[in-house]
Each structure stands twice: as structure tokens, then as C-alpha cells.
Amino acid sequence: MYVTGMYCSIFIVFLALSGSAMSEEWSNARALGPGFLLQWRDDGDAIEMEITAPTAGWVGIGFGVGKTMANADLIIGGVRNGEPYLWDCHAQYNGPPTIDQEQNVDIISARENSTHTSIIVARSLTLDDNFDRTITNGDMTILWAFGNSDKEREWQNSDYHGRNRGAVEMVLLGNAEDPISKDIGSTTIFTLSIPATAKSTSPKLTRPNEQEPALPFVAILDEDTHVTLSWAFDSTTITMQIVAPTTGWIGLGFGRTVSMNGADIIMMGVKEDGAYVLDCHSDRNGVPDVDDEQNVEVVTGWENGTHTGVTIRRKRLTCNPDDMDVQLPSTYRVLWSYGEEDLKDHSPSSRYYHHRNRGGRSLQLIYPSEYKASAGNTGEESHIDLRGGDFRVPPVETYYSCKFVKLTEANETIYATGLQPIIKKENERNVHHMITYICDVDITEEQLQREYQCYQDIHPFSMGCNKLLGGWAVGSTGMRYPRKSGYRLGGLDHPQYVMIEMHYDNPEKKEFFDNSGMRLSFVREKPEVLSSIFDVSQTLPTIWVPPGAGRYRIGGHCREECVSKGMEKAGVSEVKVFGVFFHSHLAGRSMRLRHFRNGMELQAMARDEYYDFVYQETQYFEEPIILKRGDSLTLECDYSTANRKKVTTGGLPTTSEMCVAFIMHYPPMKMSTCGSRANIDDPKVFFELAAGLNISLKTTDFVRVANEMRGDFRNAMAIFARNVLDDIKWTDEKRKFAQDFTDNMTLHTTCLNQRELLMPFRDEFVLPRVNDYVEDQPICPGAGQGADDLEDSSVKIMSGLAAAMVILILGAAVAVTRKT
């Protein structure tokens, strides 16, 4: 009786607020929580709902898959400054919602007094939108929430719902009478004279005859205000929608940095007469210039009381020098901005200054949807979490942790389809990369229970764990193998154990606990093809970059004999490369994987001209690239040390450098690692380098440094830098000599299949010079040809692994060097 009486009192307030609520003849009503009322009716095709909550802020209702926000379809609205607003949105996790690219909910009316807010909304029961849940017969999970202030933007601390939220299992469709609704008829209704603030206030829309396109790729450009970019592409065009918290103009740009200088810029918005777009560019940090050629068209646009969304389309290759090509599966710097008012007369000026409403982030725009982290594979996928319990990360700047995990029983075979990161939220800033190595040896129960410091307590190479399964690095969403493909694990003749290598970057030198790891997706049914990975690299001890360098290049080489031997042992004459993952550290600026056949250079297999350490994604190709017996590969890495005072050398810490590319392919080759190292074990090399840099070195000092280098081969270059190179005054002339010296230094090349040395060392190889590059295709047409006549030859990319695998080559290098 007490509960019923309490809810009746609540309804008096609700009905007083609604005024005409009962005249709406709602078929059903239910109090979802203290002070929160849902009333509704349906006609078999659509549903109307009145949502009332004890707040003068926002109100929200959702349709969930569980009792949390994760993967929920949400409706949020309210009355702000006398004007209604409504968002059709969704949440991918328990956190800030994201506005849907399609707004499929109409707000019929909204009203508010000093204590309560009520909105009436309508939507179809079934919608052709991945983010909108179908409302069906039977039990559904209904989420409810409200905030104490109105939403100015998608997410802000001041409007967090706190404890004003909940979830209820209930039936929306059919004759589901709620006992509380029976009491409403006998309740006295007190009427407040509160006019409706809006009627039929659907978002403004500009929709051509064609339907709005499906945009499967979504990225949040700004976490604070939730500026969101959605996009799709085909062989010639890219379609993009940007949503921002403004009713004015929005800017979207593509640049080499996050600065406007040199950027391709698109300005857009929605006015009373529809959506507009302006194709611009900028050679400065200021008002952009309008392009002579307008190569962007509006697809659709909408605007509500708080947000604007515009969908645009342009060619991936416009052949206009003012437009950045979106051809390659590479990293792009995506810029965003917005202003408070719409452009007038299609003319940008200083009056439309964005103030602090601007930013930029790195994104890969071109990669096949089958490689998205959420993409499915053949058969029913299962999962194994590859991580141990919490362990103490020591208070040191760089720490590598290694753990063993058992995958299968001896007679069980599985096929890996992907790896996604599982990172403890409070440690996201410290987890630098994770690598999963396959072990070809049995691991004891005692070893399974331990945590090891990699390269101190144990070494993956010495433990027989040197075949890469996959991994993750900063900015990556994980990795996938192609549909109908997988990596074989387990069984009588295949590995049952893996080693997880965790690199912790801890500049604050704090002590913390962590249990992050990788989630392995797999199927039990054998796929059509099997996949594998090998890496190409320059070994760590031979990497060095002088300070003050704007651009400095080093490289590693995988020679043709290695590729042939790896294929010969696998019984194949060629493999299909479906993805490449590049990895370097903070000084890395660009990377390129060059491809040679029969003494001729082909188009680069992969490249990343704007490499970003905090956004490392695997490049997945639209069409696989063929690697044949007798082909060779050269990896080149460019670094910038403009703000550094000392020589940067190769090593495990983030402030040191790496140069590695992981090549994903099918069918498998019998090769796990392939690369080269500079000929630094010859003292004459260092003597020539010192002489060329005008360094005076006493004989006794030279002998001392040479002996120290010989005794600690893995840190040889670091020893030479510390004792010799850091003491000189670097000039442009000396940096040029160092680059020429590095370009012409002879290399040792080698390759391994796990612990087996495939080919003996080959000396005196010199990397091809940078000016030997083959021009990347496609090339814009000359007179008489249109861009549509070009064949699309671009390749695609996405996310991925990490990088200490370079040490595997190093291990072999040490072993062979000592034998000889």
C-alpha cells in the first residue's frame, strides 16, 4: 500500500506537469524509478512515448542488451532556454554517448517547469540503422536516466546522471497492463498552466532523392565535446559525415600536421534553405582560401537545437593540388573545428573564428570493413584472454614483462582469427605495446605461474618463443585475419603455448599493479587458408640518429635468398600479403616498405608518410599484394630529432628507436624474421666515421671504446654514442656526412625460421638510395583524360602490433658473430 500510494503521489506531479497528458490517451504507463514516468502507445508500426523526470535538466531513455549502457540505443532530450532539443544516439561502452549519424526519432512536444521536464517522442518500431534497436514483442531492457542540467553538448561533467539512472525488464508492445496504470484513473489531477514549448520540432533535414548512405567507420575526433566523424568509401569516392555541438559552421580538414598550414579544408553547415559545403585550403594558420575547383558535394544535413551533422562526398583522387589525395591506406591527420554561426554568402572570414573549438587527430581512412575489430569470421568465434593476474610493475621508466599462457590441450587444434587489447583503464597511459609470441617448446606449470622481466630473466628467442602471432601498440584497436583465414594453433605438431610481452612506459617511475593482456578470437573449424606473419627490420644495436636532424633515414633489408628459402621450405612459390604493420618510437616520422623483383623496383608495398607514435594501426590492403620467390624487401624509416641534444640510438625504451615492419600473409612461409644490421663489428667503420666527423680520438681511447663495444654487442652503438658522438658539436654539414655514411654503409643480412638460421650472413649489401624510388601510382592524368579513367590501385590498412621482435634478428646476429 505504501509503494502504491507513493507512486500515486508521483503521478499527481507528473500529470500536473503534463496538463493534457491524459488527453493524449496513453495506452500504458509505468514508473521506471523514483520520480521517472514512461507513458506510451503503439500502432503496430511506430511508438510514441512521453518521458517525464523530476529535473529541469535532460531526460533519457534507452533500449539495451543488458542493464548497462554498453551497446545501447539511447534517446536524450530536454528543454534549454525555452527551446526543445533531442538526440538519437548510442553508446558503445559504459561512458559518454555518441550521436547517431541518422536521426530517426522525432520530438512531438516538450515542456518544463521548475521541478519536472517532460518530452513526447516518436519513432518507428523497426529502423534500418545499426545503432537503432528494433522494438519487439516480449521482454526488453529499458534504461532510464536524467541529469540536473541541460546538455550544451554531448558530454560534460556537469550533466552526469550520477545515481539518477536504472534499468527495467518490461514489455512495451501488446496488452501489457501495468498495475500502477490502473491507479492513475482514480488519482486527482492538478493542472498547471504550462504551455508546450514546442510542437513537431523534428531536426532540420536536407535530403536529396537518394537515401543517406551507410557509414560503417566511426571515430570520435574530440573526446571532450564528442565531435564525431563517420565515413565509407569505394574505389573512387569517400563519403563522410561530421557531427559537432553547434548550430553554426563545421570544418573538416586533412593535413600533414594538426596545423591549418598546408591543409585541405572543407567548411559546411545547415541553414534554413538546406545544407551547404565549401571546398577550401590554407597555407597559413588563419582564414582559409576558397578552392578554384569545388570538388565536394553535399549528400544530406541536419540540425537540432544543439548539434549539426552534415554528410559530404568527394573523390579520393581529385587531381587538384589544393586537395589532399585519400588514396593510400596510410595515416592521415584529420582536423576539425566549428563556429557559433553559419557562413553567409559562402565566404569565410575572421568573424567566423573557431576560438578553442578546434583540434586534430590521426586516422586511417582507407581499410576494408572485414578488418574492423568487430568484424566477424567464418564459423562461431570463441575467445581466450591471454593475461595473468595482477602483478606489481616496478617504479622504473621502462619495464618489459613476459608471461606464458597455455592455449590448448595437446590434441586440440584452434585457428586464431584476431587479437584485441584488454587494458586496465587506469593504466592506459603506461601500456606501450603488447606482443604475442608462439612458443615451440613445452612450458612447465611453474613457468606458467611466474612473471618474468623480458631480456633480463628470460629472452623470447632463447625460450623458443620467437614466432609472432600478433599484438597491439599505442592507438591500435587490435588486428584481424581475413575472412576464411586463420592462424593454426595447438594439435600434436603445433604450439600449445604463447608468451605475452608487455612494454610499460613509466616516465613518472610510479609503482602500480596491472593485468592487461590480449583477447584471442578463434574458431575450431579449419578455415579455407592459413595465415602467418614475419618481420623485416634493422637491428637495434645498429640504429643511430644524430641530434638536430629534421629528417634522417635508416633501413633494413630482407634479401631475395631469404624470401625464396622461406617459401621453398613451405612448399609455395608465392604468398599474398594482406597487411603491414609499421613500428618505430617517438622520433619516427615516416616509413616505407619497398618491393623489388628481378632487379627492378615495384610500387612500394606499404608506406606511412605521416607516422604517428600514438596512433599505430595495421595497414590492411583492399587487394592482397603478391610476394614471389626471388623478391626482396627494404624497409626505410625516417626520423626527426630536431629538439634532441644527444644521439638517439636503437633500444627498448620509448626514447630510443626501432625500425620494424610486420608482414601478414597467406599461405604461411617458413620464415619468422628477416633483416639486416650495419657492419659495426669492424673497428675500421667507427674509425672512418670518427674521422669524417673530425673527431680527434687517442689510440688508447679508441681501443678502450672498441673493447667495451665488443663486450656488449647489444649496446654497441649506444656505447659509441655516449663515449664519442655526444661530445661533438653537430652542424648541418656533419649531419649530412652522417646520412651519406649511413646510406653507403655495408650491411649484414640474415633470416630465421623461429630458431633455425635459414641462410648464412651475406655481407657488403648497400641499401638502394632514396632517389631510386619508383613513383607511386596512380598518377593524375594529362589533358584529355579524367580522373574517372584511372584504375584504383590503392591499398588498405588498419591496426596493430608492437616492436621488440627486432631482438630476434639480434639474437641470431650475436650467435653467428661469436661463432665466426
Side-chain angles (χ1 to χ4, degrees):
M1 289 296 295
Y2 173 77
V3 174
T4 302
M6 178 184 70
Y7 280 118
C8 285
S9 299
I10 292 171
F11 284 144
I12 292 173
V13 178
F14 289 153
L15 299 173
L17 171 70
S18 300
S20 60
M22 295 306 295
S23 67
E24 298 280 358
E25 297 180 358
W26 297 111
S27 303
N28 302 276
R30 179 162 179 177
L32 303 186
F36 194 103
L37 175 68
L38 174 66
Q39 301 177 86
W40 75 96
R41 61 170 170 257
D42 74 272
D43 62 6
D45 295 317
I47 187 170
E48 288 189 24
M49 298 176 286
E50 181 168 16
I51 307 157
T52 307
T55 181
W58 62 270
V59 299
I61 194 165
F63 310 102
V65 294
K67 293 189 176 182
T68 70
M69 286 178 64
N71 299 311
D73 174 16
L74 304 170
I75 300 169
I76 295 174
V79 180
R80 180 167 59 86
N81 298 329
E83 295 293 329
Y85 61 91
L86 181 78
W87 300 336
D88 182 9
C89 49
H90 66 279
Q92 296 177 322
Y93 52 91
N94 292 325
T98 299
I99 290 184
D100 293 0
Q101 63 190 35
E102 296 181 18
Q103 293 290 291
N104 294 317
V105 182
D106 290 332
I107 183 166
I108 306 303
S109 67
R111 62 186 75 215
E112 177 181 270
N113 64 16
S114 60
T115 61
H116 285 69
T117 296
S118 177
I119 62 173
I120 298 177
V121 301
R123 57 154 283 187
S124 296
L125 299 178
T126 303
L127 292 165
D128 189 18
D129 185 336
N130 292 333
F131 296 124
D132 291 327
R133 298 204 166 277
T134 298
I135 299 175
T136 60
N137 291 302
D139 284 339
M140 294 189 68
T141 301
I142 308 300
L143 311 177
W144 62 271
F146 61 88
N148 293 324
S149 61
D150 280 301
K151 286 190 175 282
E152 302 275 342
R153 57 192 189 195
E154 234 172 313
W155 174 253
Q156 59 196 58
N157 292 333
S158 62
D159 64 24
Y160 178 52
H161 53 62
R163 295 184 177 181
N164 300 323
R165 53 106 176 99
V168 177
E169 292 287 337
M170 58 183 287
V171 176
L172 283 176
L173 302 187
N175 242 347
E177 244 185 315
D178 190 283
I180 296 176
S181 66
K182 294 179 181 178
D183 294 327
I184 296 178
S186 61
T187 303
T188 303
I189 301 174
F190 296 94
T191 303
L192 295 180
S193 178
I194 303 175
T197 56
K199 290 286 186 181
S200 301
T201 53
S202 302
K204 284 190 292 185
L205 299 175
T206 300
R207 295 187 185 277
N209 293 330
E210 61 181 295
Q211 289 186 340
E212 185 162 349
L215 304 175
F217 301 101
V218 180
I220 297 174
L221 300 184
D222 182 61
E223 294 287 348
D224 292 332
T225 61
H226 267 225
V227 177
T228 305
L229 178 70
S230 307
W231 73 98
F233 57 87
D234 57 27
S235 61
T236 59
T237 61
I238 182 167
T239 302
M240 298 169 285
Q241 182 190 73
I242 185 168
V243 177
T246 182
T247 55
W249 64 269
I250 308 175
L252 178 66
F254 308 97
R256 293 169 177 80
T257 68
V258 292
S259 163
M260 285 179 65
N261 191 3
D264 174 15
I265 296 172
I266 303 166
M267 300 184 73
M268 66 202 90
V270 177
K271 298 181 182 179
E272 292 297 330
D273 57 351
Y276 62 90
V277 65
L278 199 60
D279 194 0
C280 308
H281 66 278
S282 180
D283 58 3
R284 61 196 178 280
N285 289 324
V287 178
D289 299 314
V290 178
D291 291 2
D292 293 333
E293 294 180 18
Q294 293 293 296
N295 293 315
V296 184
E297 61 175 316
V298 172
V299 177
T300 186
W302 59 264
E303 183 180 283
N304 59 21
T306 60
H307 283 65
T308 298
V310 182
T311 304
I312 57 175
R313 180 186 293 124
R314 56 155 283 189
K315 291 186 182 299
R316 290 169 59 181
L317 177 68
T318 67
C319 295
N320 182 346
D322 292 330
D323 296 332
M324 177 172 281
D325 296 337
V326 190
Q327 281 291 111
L328 295 172
S330 182
T331 301
Y332 295 87
R333 301 290 195 271
V334 179
L335 316 179
W336 62 269
S337 60
Y338 59 87
E340 297 177 354
E341 58 181 304
D342 283 303
L343 303 184
K344 297 188 185 303
D345 302 322
H346 281 58
S347 178
S349 69
S350 57
R351 68 173 287 187
Y352 303 111
Y353 184 50
H354 49 63
H355 299 284
R356 294 185 179 181
N357 300 321
R358 54 115 178 100
R361 64 160 292 184
S362 295
L363 277 179
Q364 281 193 20
L365 297 174
I366 305 299
Y367 57 90
S369 59
E370 73 172 283
Y371 294 107
K372 291 175 65 178
S374 59
N377 210 295
T378 303
E380 188 68 28
E381 284 190 332
S382 301
H383 307 283
I384 301 173
D385 285 352
L386 309 178
R387 58 180 178 179
D390 269 8
F391 83 98
R392 185 186 69 88
V393 179
V396 295
E397 186 170 347
T398 299
Y399 187 80
Y400 278 72
S401 169
C402 280
K403 301 176 186 176
F404 294 106
V405 179
K406 186 175 183 178
L407 292 178
T408 67
E409 298 301 326
N411 60 350
E412 183 184 15
T413 300
I414 61 175
Y415 302 91
T417 55
L419 283 164
Q420 278 75 50
I422 310 172
I423 301 177
K424 197 170 182 178
K425 188 169 182 60
E426 56 265 37
N427 298 336
E428 288 178 346
R429 293 177 179 271
N430 302 107
V431 181
H432 171 281
H433 80 245
M434 298 180 279
I435 297 182
T436 307
Y437 298 108
I438 295 172
C439 304
D440 63 356
V441 295
D442 287 334
I443 305 300
T444 67
E445 189 64 31
E446 190 274 334
Q447 289 174 316
L448 286 173
Q449 301 303 318
R450 282 194 58 186
E451 182 274 328
Y452 298 87
Q453 183 177 0
C454 304
Y455 312 111
Q456 297 292 326
D457 301 336
I458 59 173
H459 193 296
F461 183 88
S462 63
M463 292 300 300
C465 305
N466 61 345
K467 179 69 173 174
L468 192 69
L469 172 61
W472 170 91
V474 179
S476 169
T477 55
M479 61 158 292
R480 302 276 318 177
Y481 287 100
R483 288 194 178 99
K484 302 180 182 180
S485 172
Y487 198 127
R488 181 178 175 181
L489 300 167
L492 296 177
D493 57 346
H494 282 76
Q496 299 171 249
Y497 301 91
V498 295
M499 174 187 284
I500 306 297
E501 175 189 298
M502 305 282 300
H503 175 188
Y504 293 99
D505 186 32
N506 189 11
E508 297 174 353
K509 297 182 180 180
K510 64 181 181 179
E511 180 179 288
F512 60 94
F513 287 83
D514 188 65
N515 66 343
S516 301
M518 301 291 290
R519 174 161 293 166
L520 173 71
S521 302
F522 68 91
V523 295
R524 300 185 185 278
E525 181 181 349
K526 185 177 181 180
E528 292 183 13
V529 293
L530 300 180
S531 298
S532 191
I533 301 175
F534 70 92
D535 72 83
V536 175
S537 65
Q538 170 74 304
T539 58
L540 298 185
T542 64
I543 294 175
W544 73 283
V545 184
R551 248 340 186 241
Y552 196 89
R553 181 183 59 258
I554 65 168
H557 184 73
C558 180
R559 75 181 197 257
E560 57 272 19
E561 293 93 336
C562 286
V563 174
S564 295
K565 191 68 173 180
M567 291 187 184
E568 178 188 327
K569 291 179 73 66
V572 297
S573 59
E574 65 180 36
V575 299
K576 294 182 177 180
V577 177
F578 62 86
V580 171
F581 175 79
F582 290 121
H583 181 75
S584 66
H585 283 178
L586 294 172
R589 292 297 180 270
S590 64
M591 305 180 79
R592 179 188 296 250
L593 186 63
R594 303 172 68 181
H595 186 188
F596 299 86
R597 179 176 297 160
N598 299 325
M600 301 285 292
E601 182 171 11
L602 309 180
Q603 189 171 332
M605 182 172 284
R607 69 176 188 178
D608 196 337
E609 296 298 336
Y610 311 117
Y611 175 82
D612 187 348
F613 172 75
V614 298
Y615 182 78
Q616 300 183 48
E617 285 281 14
T618 305
Q619 298 189 2
Y620 292 105
F621 304 150
E622 296 180 71
E623 295 294 334
I625 297 173
I626 304 299
L627 181 67
K628 294 186 175 184
R629 285 194 190 185
D631 288 2
S632 63
L633 299 168
T634 293
L635 171 66
E636 292 184 336
C637 302
D638 286 348
Y639 303 94
S640 174
T641 57
N643 297 321
R644 299 192 179 189
K645 304 299 183 183
K646 294 186 177 182
V647 171
T648 299
T649 57
L652 299 178
T654 308
T655 51
S656 299
E657 270 308 328
M658 293 184 174
C659 179
V660 60
F662 298 94
I663 292 89
M664 294 177 281
H665 62 280
Y666 61 84
M669 291 172 59
K670 294 289 187 179
M671 181 170 69
S672 55
T673 188
C674 185
S676 60
R677 63 179 182 86
N679 187 18
I680 64 170
D681 47 358
D682 184 350
K684 291 186 298 183
V685 172
F686 289 105
F687 184 79
E688 292 171 5
L689 178 58
L693 294 172
N694 297 319
I695 299 173
S696 299
L697 202 62
K698 296 179 181 178
T699 303
T700 53
D701 292 334
F702 181 83
V703 171
R704 176 182 56 79
V705 172
N707 287 337
E708 186 179 353
M709 293 168 59
R710 194 176 295 113
D712 187 4
F713 176 85
R714 294 182 180 179
N715 295 302
M717 197 69 227
I719 293 168
F720 186 69
R722 184 178 68 246
N723 286 278
V724 180
L725 300 179
D726 283 343
D727 292 335
I728 69 174
K729 183 178 180 180
W730 285 93
T731 63
D732 289 342
E733 183 180 2
K734 289 181 178 179
R735 280 186 284 267
K736 183 179 184 307
F737 170 81
Q739 181 68 82
D740 291 340
F741 187 88
T742 299
D743 287 343
N744 293 286
M745 184 182 294
T746 59
L747 303 176
H748 296 313
T749 60
T750 189
C751 46
L752 301 91
N753 180 41
Q754 294 184 282
R755 288 181 288 181
E756 176 189 2
L757 187 64
L758 291 179
M759 300 293 295
F761 277 90
R762 171 179 161 184
D763 297 335
E764 299 183 355
F765 175 83
V766 178
L767 290 176
R769 298 301 297 267
V770 69
N771 55 7
D772 295 333
Y773 283 151
V774 169
E775 281 291 329
D776 288 312
Q777 300 296 324
I779 300 173
C780 283
Q785 283 185 294
D788 291 337
D789 299 328
L790 292 175
E791 231 177 79
D792 176 41
S793 60
S794 59
V795 281
K796 293 215 176 186
I797 316 180
M798 185 183 108
S799 147
L801 319 160
M805 183 92 174
V806 191
I807 306 253
L808 300 182
I809 302 178
L810 171 59
V814 173
V816 174
T817 302
R818 287 176 176 170
K819 286 181 180 178
T820 56

